[in-house]
Amino acid sequence: MTDQQNSHISWFRNTAPYINRHRGSTFVIVIPGAVQDSTALPRLLNDLALLSSLGVRLVLVFGSRPQIDRRLQEYGVPSAFHREHRITDSESLPHVLQVVGAQRIELEALLSLGLPNSPMQGAKLRVTSGNFVVAQPLGVVDGIDYQLTGRVRRVDSEGIESLLESGNLVLLSSVGYSPTGEAFNLGLADVAISAARDLKADKLIVLGSSPGVHDRDGSLIKQYAVDQQAVIDPTDDEEARLLHMACAACRAGVPRSHIVSFSDPDALLAELFTTDGSGTLVASRPYEQSRWASIGDVGGVLELISPLEESGVLLKRSRELLEAEIGRFRILERDGRTIACAALYPFLEQQSAELACIVSHPDYRGEQRAKRLLQELEQEALAQGLAEVFVLTTQTAHWFLEQGFIENALDTLPPARQALYNLQRNSKVFSKKLTQRS
């Protein structure tokens, strides 16, 4: 087998957990008007067809602002905005409806092609659109009458659900309808967030022109918690708008939102099927979290420590022993995957504790994760009234010295731990006096 074949098989194995996780999930995908103006649209639809074939239930919400702007300018109809919302009057609404209708027909036509010359050639997609968004007038704000600009009153989630269950891809526009038969021009974010909330979607995915959201130094923010202080580039209005939409969806109950580039042909799939993704993930809680392990984490911890046990860096533990001791482990979990672990074994009579199995996954070394777990276990030992922690190591002495440990003699260990000392391994002993962190 060639190296290239091995690489493809390895990639397929790594994506399998994501394929299983996404199957049956509901994704609301926001397609701004700029996407339909770009050459990226056909490739994006290919990827959406692929997601559909993998069992993902898709709701596409498309925007129309640049298309409406051009149409109104072409016909000499003035455009007015207040608080970033278009003021839609009786003269401009027919143009809005024609633009949105033309976009919908274009999308339906492209999704009906059978996707020739693509990996999804021959795929059959059923696309459905309709009066799923019930709207009402936005009214008068700051003394400004928005006229035929509206806001979402509710989304017909039951109707959309039945279509998704039947294998349909559902298409929503930024036009909604009132029970009295009026049409209203709606905000793209309003429709997308309302649909994601009412459908209890698993993800809201927002497409933008850049890879994601950047901080003030221009670095891509890979994960963003909705309650963290804004650190984004204040000069980029598009990124600020997309981040606001993503955070609002999470606050409305969507577990995760993603901001992904539409100009990068691989960005969407990379975001969904690789551990590190390609854009910015927004979540109500940190994407990477530390917690105490439970019995369900035994497999993940074994995956981390087994290679080091085989190479002799760690003392081998049976699965039975690990199951009995799993409550002593603290883990770092990233997107459901255990990427680091460490264990604490107290010796209460001696007011000390052993730190063991401090391991990071090879893909995540060099990013201070082991140090983070070490500090958390040191604080746990302090909380238990202990004064010192120690480790036994054969190959990582320098790392522990860097963390403030000093080498000590074997007879400084608690008697119970001395009795278990493996003379063949000839591990070195390092200890550290504990102090409360400020």
Side-chain angles (χ1 to χ4, degrees):
M1 189 174 291
T2 66
D3 290 342
Q4 185 178 19
Q5 288 174 318
N6 284 329
S7 175
H8 287 327
I9 291 172
S10 176
W11 173 87
F12 184 71
R13 285 174 175 152
N14 288 333
T15 60
Y18 297 99
I19 294 172
N20 289 328
R21 188 177 306 155
H22 297 331
R23 185 181 296 117
S25 298
T26 301
F27 294 177
V28 174
I29 300 181
V30 183
I31 305 176
V35 179
Q36 270 187 277
D37 276 349
S38 74
T39 58
L41 185 62
R43 181 260 311 147
L44 172 65
L45 297 183
N46 289 346
D47 289 346
L48 295 179
L50 176 59
L51 290 178
S52 179
S53 75
L54 294 174
V56 179
R57 303 170 357 138
L58 297 176
V59 177
L60 310 185
V61 185
F62 66 92
S64 311
R65 176 168 287 193
Q67 289 84 1
I68 293 172
D69 286 341
R70 284 199 303 271
R71 171 86 180 195
L72 295 180
Q73 185 177 17
E74 179 184 353
Y75 283 83
V77 179
S79 292
F81 292 85
H82 181 65
R83 292 191 177 185
E84 297 190 359
H85 290 288
R86 187 187 303 277
I87 299 171
T88 311
D89 58 19
S90 57
E91 183 182 7
S92 59
L93 182 63
H95 295 283
V96 171
L97 298 180
Q98 288 186 41
V99 166
V100 170
Q103 285 182 281
R104 176 179 60 80
I105 291 169
E106 180 190 12
L107 288 170
E108 290 178 348
L110 287 172
L111 287 165
S112 302
L113 281 173
L115 307 174
N117 302 317
S118 80
M120 294 304 298
Q121 183 168 345
K124 301 296 183 185
L125 285 177
R126 285 182 294 174
V127 186
T128 304
S129 56
N131 59 339
F132 300 116
V133 179
V134 180
Q136 63 187 43
L138 193 55
V140 178
V141 179
D142 300 329
I144 304 296
D145 186 355
Y146 279 92
Q147 302 182 59
L148 296 171
T149 297
R151 59 187 174 90
V152 178
R153 183 175 179 181
R154 63 179 176 84
V155 173
D156 181 9
S157 55
E158 186 176 335
I160 294 175
E161 277 286 348
S162 65
L163 292 168
L164 294 175
E165 283 297 310
S166 301
N168 289 268
L169 184 153
V170 176
L171 198 58
L172 300 180
S173 72
S174 54
V175 171
Y177 307 93
S178 73
T180 57
E182 294 176 286
F184 288 95
N185 184 21
L186 309 176
L188 176 63
D190 189 15
V191 176
I193 294 166
S194 299
R197 178 198 64 213
D198 293 354
L199 289 167
K200 296 180 172 55
D202 299 278
K203 293 182 185 294
L204 176 78
I205 300 173
V206 188
L207 300 173
S209 59
S210 65
V213 175
H214 295 81
D215 62 20
R216 294 186 181 93
D217 298 323
S219 299
L220 180 66
I221 300 172
K222 299 293 289 184
Q223 297 95 37
Y224 189 95
V226 295
D227 293 327
Q228 79 182 64
Q229 283 190 328
V231 293
I232 67 168
D233 179 0
T235 65
D236 196 313
D237 292 338
E238 182 198 20
E239 291 189 7
R241 187 169 61 253
L242 298 184
L243 181 62
H244 178 77
M245 189 191 310
C247 288
C250 289
R251 292 190 181 101
V254 179
R256 289 180 177 178
S257 298
H258 301 257
I259 302 170
V260 184
S261 169
F262 64 78
S263 56
D264 180 348
D266 301 320
L268 178 61
L269 298 184
E271 179 71 9
L272 294 173
F273 294 101
T274 64
T275 303
D276 287 331
S278 65
T280 298
L281 168 67
V282 179
S284 299
R285 61 178 186 175
Y287 175 54
E288 184 174 302
Q289 59 177 332
S290 169
R291 61 175 176 83
W292 289 103
S294 63
I295 192 67
D297 299 306
V298 169
V301 173
L302 274 175
E303 183 183 355
L304 280 180
I305 67 177
S306 293
L308 297 180
E309 290 177 345
E310 296 297 328
S311 64
V313 175
L314 294 179
L315 187 65
K316 192 169 182 63
R317 286 171 169 78
S318 67
R319 186 181 184 96
E320 291 75 20
L321 178 61
L322 184 59
E323 288 178 354
E325 297 180 345
I326 193 64
R328 299 189 182 278
F329 279 77
R330 194 163 184 87
I331 64 171
L332 276 180
E333 185 180 58
R334 183 185 178 95
D335 198 22
R337 181 184 188 186
T338 302
I339 63 169
C341 68
L344 182 73
Y345 294 87
F347 293 86
L348 299 179
E349 290 186 10
Q350 288 76 33
Q351 290 190 300
S352 66
E354 180 180 7
L355 298 171
C357 290
I358 303 176
V359 179
S360 293
H361 191 280
D363 292 344
Y364 298 95
R365 289 176 186 161
E367 299 184 27
Q368 305 293 315
R369 291 181 173 87
K371 182 177 180 179
R372 173 183 172 182
L373 286 178
L374 172 66
Q375 292 173 343
E376 289 179 356
L377 291 184
E378 287 176 356
Q379 293 304 302
E380 174 63 23
L382 274 171
Q384 294 184 23
L386 308 180
E388 183 181 67
V389 289
F390 64 88
V391 296
L392 280 76
T393 182
T394 59
Q395 300 182 31
T396 56
H398 279 204
W399 187 81
F400 284 105
L401 289 172
E402 292 170 3
Q403 311 312 315
F405 285 72
I406 59 171
E407 188 169 359
N408 240 321
L410 176 62
D411 59 11
T412 62
L413 295 177
R417 186 62 184 89
Q418 289 185 47
L420 297 173
Y421 184 80
N422 188 325
L423 293 172
Q424 288 185 325
R425 285 180 58 81
N426 195 28
S427 300
K428 292 185 177 182
V429 178
F430 292 85
S431 62
K432 180 181 181 180
K433 299 293 184 183
L434 297 175
T435 57
Q436 191 73 42
R437 294 175 64 190
S438 59

